[in-house]
């Protein structure tokens, strides 16, 4: 198996954790401070990666700090906006609107970096978003305050993916990832200290379960994989794997919560998988062989 296909599978596995984590976050933050939740999440994720990759910490330099800041700021902004938004909107709306970063990435890449985007990627993005809409939108999509925050978060995540792509060729990406997570934890700590709703040891049901699930598989694993995967995959393909997030969230709802499996889910899932296929296949190469 080629490395790019291996990392593609790992990214899809990571989106499964992301999809399930929406529910954990919504339950975990309750009506308390989202910054406390995020502080614990980023801190635990950073500590886990620091322990696993302890030998790579010796390669931390001023350049590493610079990279971690440039990729960490948009990630922190996107995560904070998404987490606050989840307090005011549904998981389905949040999943769909966050998926807008799939279209924002090639658009911003074209506008900011003046890089040409293949037509097949645009087609794949439209197909994938159509599939995503089919899955998560049941009674129509209406924008409230939480939805608007999620729209802003989509821009943050899009810039994050673009920044990771910019530094993807670094020989040792893990030190920057670890520093990035520590910096995000520090940023959330600062916000939490000024938040009057901060409760450092809340009794909310599911808080600590949510912390450990979002910290380890949904953050430590996923961001480590993504930062390495972008050495072999383009930003658009990485973004398209994000669209599996609500698919797995829906599957979890069916098997764990007993929700109905509808034709919308089937059609949407097929569209997303087809979009992934279109983005991966080199049609020019195949046409030459024929």
């Amino acid at each position: 198996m080629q490395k790019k296909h291996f990392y593609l599978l790992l990214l899809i596995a990571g989106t499964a954790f992301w999809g399930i984590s929406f529910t954990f976050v919504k339950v975990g933050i309750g009506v308390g401070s989202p910054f406390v939740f995020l502080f614990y999440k980023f801190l635990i994720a950073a500590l886990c990666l620091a322990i696993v990759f302890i030998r790579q910490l010796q390669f931390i330099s001023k350049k590493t700090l610079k990279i971690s800041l440039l990729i960490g700021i948009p990630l922190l902004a996107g995560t904070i906006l998404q987490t606050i938004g989840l307090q005011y909107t549904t998981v389905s709306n949040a999943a769909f609107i966050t998926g807008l970063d799939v279209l924002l990435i090639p658009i911003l890449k074209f506008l900011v970096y003046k890089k040409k985007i293949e037509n097949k990627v645009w087609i794949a993005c439209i197909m994938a978003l159509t599939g995503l809409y089919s899955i998560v939108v049941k009674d129509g999509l209406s924008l409230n305050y939480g939805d608007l925050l999620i729209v802003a978060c989509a821009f943050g995540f899009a810039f994050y993916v673009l920044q990771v792509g910019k530094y993807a060729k670094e020989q040792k990406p893990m030190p920057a990832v670890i520093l990035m997570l520590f910096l995000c934890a520090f940023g959330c700590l600062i916000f939490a200290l000024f938040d009057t709703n901060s409760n450092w040891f809340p009794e909310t049901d599911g808080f600590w379960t949510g912390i450990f699930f979002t910290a380890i598989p949904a953050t430590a694993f996923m961001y480590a994989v993504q930062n390495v995967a972008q050495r072999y995959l383009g930003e658009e393909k990485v973004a398209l794997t994000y669209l599996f997030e609500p698919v797995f969230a829906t599957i979890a709802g069916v098997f764990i919560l007993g929700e109905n499996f509808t034709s919308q889910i089937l059609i949407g899932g097929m569209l997303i998988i087809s979009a992934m296929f279109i983005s991966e296949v080199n049609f020019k190469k195949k046409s030459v062989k024929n």
Side-chain angles (χ1 to χ4, degrees):
M1 181 184 292
Q2 294 182 9
K3 282 188 176 181
K4 68 175 184 176
H5 295 140
F6 173 70
Y7 282 111
L8 191 64
L9 290 175
L10 288 181
L11 280 172
I12 292 172
T15 59
F17 299 134
W18 269 359
I20 298 170
S21 72
F22 270 95
T23 302
F24 279 101
V25 172
K26 192 169 182 65
V27 173
I29 57 179
V31 294
S33 171
F35 304 115
V36 173
F37 185 95
L38 291 176
F39 165 70
Y40 283 128
K41 181 189 87 164
F42 281 122
L43 180 63
I44 293 171
L47 289 172
C48 287
L49 288 183
I51 292 169
V52 173
F53 298 98
I54 191 168
R55 292 184 179 180
Q56 293 201 27
L57 297 181
Q58 63 182 307
F59 299 107
I60 291 177
S61 63
K62 288 184 178 180
K63 184 180 180 182
T64 307
L65 179 60
K66 176 185 175 182
I67 293 173
S68 63
L69 280 170
L70 291 174
I71 63 178
I73 290 173
L75 173 63
L76 178 62
T79 305
I80 287 175
L81 289 166
Q82 184 187 65
T83 305
I84 296 175
L86 273 168
Q87 292 183 309
Y88 302 98
T89 190
T90 64
V91 169
S92 294
N93 273 26
F96 172 69
I97 299 170
T98 300
L100 289 174
D101 62 0
V102 176
L103 281 182
L104 289 173
I105 286 167
I107 292 171
L108 292 173
K109 191 174 182 179
F110 175 73
L111 294 175
V112 177
Y113 298 107
K114 309 299 181 183
K115 292 186 178 181
K116 184 179 179 182
I117 304 300
E118 293 181 86
N119 290 331
K120 68 173 185 177
V121 173
W122 291 108
I123 295 171
C125 285
I126 293 170
M127 283 182 62
L129 279 175
T130 303
L132 188 58
Y133 184 90
S134 175
I135 289 173
V136 302
V137 179
K138 298 174 180 63
D139 301 315
L141 181 65
S142 58
L143 293 175
N144 57 31
Y145 174 66
D147 296 329
L148 292 174
L149 291 176
I150 303 295
V151 170
C153 108
F155 278 90
F157 288 141
F159 275 111
Y160 163 73
V161 174
L162 288 173
Q163 287 294 84
V164 171
K166 187 176 178 181
Y167 299 104
K169 299 303 180 183
E170 291 294 315
Q171 280 192 328
K172 297 185 182 298
M174 209 52 61
V177 175
I178 295 169
L179 264 187
M180 173 193 75
L181 293 175
F182 274 121
L183 287 169
C184 286
F186 179 73
C188 292
L189 174 62
I190 297 300
F191 281 112
L193 291 174
F194 289 95
D195 189 345
T196 56
N197 291 322
S198 291
N199 179 0
W200 297 99
F201 300 99
E203 297 178 0
T204 305
D205 291 339
F207 179 82
W208 293 107
T209 303
I211 289 293
F212 284 103
F213 183 88
T214 57
I216 299 173
T219 301
F221 171 82
M222 185 55 173
Y223 287 117
V225 168
Q226 187 217 334
N227 278 267
V228 177
Q230 283 195 230
R231 296 164 68 95
Y232 308 98
L233 301 168
E235 292 88 346
E236 296 85 7
K237 290 178 183 178
V238 170
L240 281 168
T241 65
Y242 289 179
L243 291 172
F244 278 85
E245 179 180 70
V247 175
F248 285 112
T250 303
I251 291 173
V254 171
F255 289 99
I256 298 174
L257 302 178
E259 296 179 352
N260 294 327
F261 185 81
T262 65
S263 58
Q264 286 177 291
I265 296 172
L266 178 62
I267 294 170
M270 289 177 65
L271 281 169
I272 290 173
I273 293 171
S274 298
M276 286 291 299
F277 176 78
I278 289 172
S279 71
E280 276 292 292
V281 173
N282 189 335
F283 293 102
K284 292 181 179 179
K285 187 175 180 181
K286 286 185 174 293
S287 63
V288 170
K289 286 184 178 180
N290 294 333

